[in-house]
């Protein structure tokens, strides 16, 4: 059995995945916010309870909204700020008496889609989550590219390039810099851009804006597609993956899959772009699925 855990800002979910990839057990609990020891205890209890109820022991993989520094072993870059600076891997391994693999949640998304999702069969898969924020992960032959600093594939916090004069320097990102992909291509970025163009005071979600289909919504969408194409061209120029899988709320917009290929080719080096851009298969389940597949078949 593979236990996969997705530590999110509002819920912590555990799933048990068998060798065929079927989810045979699932439980979710509210995240004990601002309570690091409470979170560690909850994760360990979820695993122990699942093993008691199913009678099956297993490997443990965990996806977090952050990463573990390869140098300090401490968690960093998480918007669940109470886990930052903590020895999460050590604490969980102590609590569960076994090795625990931890990866960024966007890496888990990419692992899941590479294993038996929209990127199955491809050697190099990029998973790009465009939701509330923008996260990404690179998977090579089934394994996430963690990187020497634990930030492999953090395309969300590269600046949009090339940036137009009227875009420079871009809105401020939570990471402290200006003009990150995240502030332009996340769903939040789309809604804020609509607000700026329309003068609308209320913050409306993307689906509401697209249903309106007014001139400003269409203009916002045109600009959004062009920006996302530039972001994808940057990914292609650095990694040149075999497939790009989109996740998050914005990935449900059908028009993206029709419009992006013709736009990316304008920005990709050499003017050639044949890479499939596809919608994810596993949706929200990719968090737990990818965490479980941090232990691939034949591993552990
Ligand atoms: Zn940023």
């Amino acid at each position: 059995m593979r236990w996969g855990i997705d530590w999110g800002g509002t819920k912590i979910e555990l799933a048990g995945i068998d060798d065929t990839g079927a989810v045979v057990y699932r439980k979710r609990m509210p995240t004990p916010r601002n309570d690091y020891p409470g979170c560690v205890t909850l994760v360990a209890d979820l695993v122990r309870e699942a093993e008691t109820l199913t009678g099956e022991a297993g490997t443990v993989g965990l996806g977090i909204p952050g990463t573990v520094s390869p140098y300090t072993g401490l968690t960093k870059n998480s918007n669940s700020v109470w886990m930052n600076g903590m020895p999460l891997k050590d604490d969980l391994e102590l609590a569960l008496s076994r090795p625990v693999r931890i990866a960024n949640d966007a890496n888990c998304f990419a692992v899941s889609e590479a294993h038996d999702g929209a990127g199955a069969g491809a050697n190099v898969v990029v998973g790009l989550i465009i939701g509330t924020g923008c996260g990404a992960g690179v998977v090579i032959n089934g394994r996430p590219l963690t990187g020497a600093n634990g930030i492999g594939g953090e395309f969300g916090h590269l600046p949009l390039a090339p940036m137009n004069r009227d875009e420079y320097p871009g809105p401020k990102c939570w990471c402290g810099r200006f003009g990150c992909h995240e502030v332009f291509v996340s769903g939040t970025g789309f809604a804020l851009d609509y607000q700026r163009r329309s003068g609308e005071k209320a913050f409306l979600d993307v689906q509401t804006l697209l249903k309106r289909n007014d001139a400003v919504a269409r203009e916002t969408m045109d600009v959004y597609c062009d920006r996302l194409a530039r972001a994808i061209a940057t990914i292609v120029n650095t990694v040149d993956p075999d497939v790009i899988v989109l996740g998050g709320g914005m990935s449900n917009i059908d028009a993206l899959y029709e419009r992006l290929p013709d736009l990316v080719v304008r920005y990709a080096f050499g003017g050639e772009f044949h890479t499939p851009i596809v919608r994810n298969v596993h949706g929200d389940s990719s968090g737990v699925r990818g965490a479980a597949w941090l232990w691939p078949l034949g591993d552990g």
Side-chain angles (χ1 to χ4, degrees):
M1 184 75 78
R2 286 169 179 72
W3 304 114
I5 301 135
D6 182 19
W7 174 330
T10 56
K11 60 163 179 61
I12 292 178
E13 180 173 7
L14 174 137
I17 311 266
D18 68 14
D19 283 356
T20 70
V23 176
V24 294
Y25 180 92
R26 194 186 276 271
K27 183 165 183 181
R28 62 170 61 174
M29 296 289 287
T31 304
R33 291 184 64 81
N34 301 308
D35 177 6
Y36 172 75
C39 286
V40 172
T41 304
L42 175 60
V43 170
D45 285 350
L46 282 171
V47 173
R48 279 192 291 256
E49 182 190 43
E51 293 193 330
T52 305
L53 290 173
T54 62
E56 295 236 28
T59 54
V60 176
L62 169 67
I64 59 169
T67 191
V68 175
S69 163
Y71 292 97
T72 64
L74 305 177
T75 311
K76 66 175 180 177
N77 295 353
S78 177
N79 54 4
S80 290
V81 289
W82 61 97
M83 72 162 66
N84 286 332
M86 297 297 180
L88 177 60
K89 186 170 156 65
D90 288 350
D91 287 341
L92 275 176
E93 291 186 341
L94 191 67
L96 286 165
S97 309
R98 76 193 85 176
V100 174
R101 291 185 181 170
I102 300 180
N104 173 259
D105 49 16
N107 285 5
C108 289
F109 166 76
V111 167
S112 167
E113 293 296 327
H115 184 82
D116 57 0
N123 288 331
V124 181
V125 177
V126 163
L128 182 64
I129 301 178
I130 36 180
T132 312
C134 173
V138 180
V139 172
I140 302 169
N141 296 325
R143 301 199 184 238
L145 175 73
T146 306
N149 300 286
I151 54 169
E154 285 287 358
F155 301 113
H157 299 281
L158 280 177
L160 181 69
M163 204 180 284
N164 299 327
R165 263 175 215 285
D166 66 337
E167 290 171 329
Y168 185 82
K172 191 167 189 184
C173 182
W174 66 268
C175 76
R177 296 202 168 83
F178 290 84
C180 291
H181 285 150
E182 174 154 319
V183 297
F184 286 114
V185 305
S186 63
T188 313
F190 181 100
L192 286 173
D193 195 38
Y194 179 90
Q195 238 181 353
R196 272 190 295 273
R197 289 168 193 277
S198 65
E200 168 101 37
K201 293 248 174 5
F203 182 87
L204 299 168
D205 69 82
V206 176
Q207 290 307 331
T208 308
L209 296 175
L210 291 177
K211 274 198 203 105
R212 279 188 177 184
N213 197 27
D214 58 25
V216 184
R218 286 197 299 273
E219 177 189 302
T220 308
M221 189 62 189
D222 289 346
V223 174
Y224 176 85
C225 286
D226 191 77
R227 288 170 174 167
L228 183 55
R230 279 178 268 164
I232 289 174
T234 298
I235 295 170
V236 171
N237 281 5
T238 47
V239 180
D240 203 1
D242 298 312
V243 59
I244 296 166
V245 185
L246 301 185
M250 299 300 283
S251 73
N252 296 319
I253 300 172
D254 292 332
L256 293 185
Y257 304 94
E258 291 151 28
R259 297 175 66 172
L260 283 170
D262 291 341
L263 292 168
V264 176
V265 74
R266 295 184 195 174
Y267 298 107
F269 181 55
E272 198 178 22
F273 179 72
H274 303 290
T275 317
I277 301 174
V278 293
R279 189 189 309 231
N280 66 85
V281 167
H282 293 302
D284 289 344
S285 290
S286 265
V288 284
R289 297 180 76 93
W293 288 117
L294 292 176
W295 294 87
L297 287 170
D299 241 33

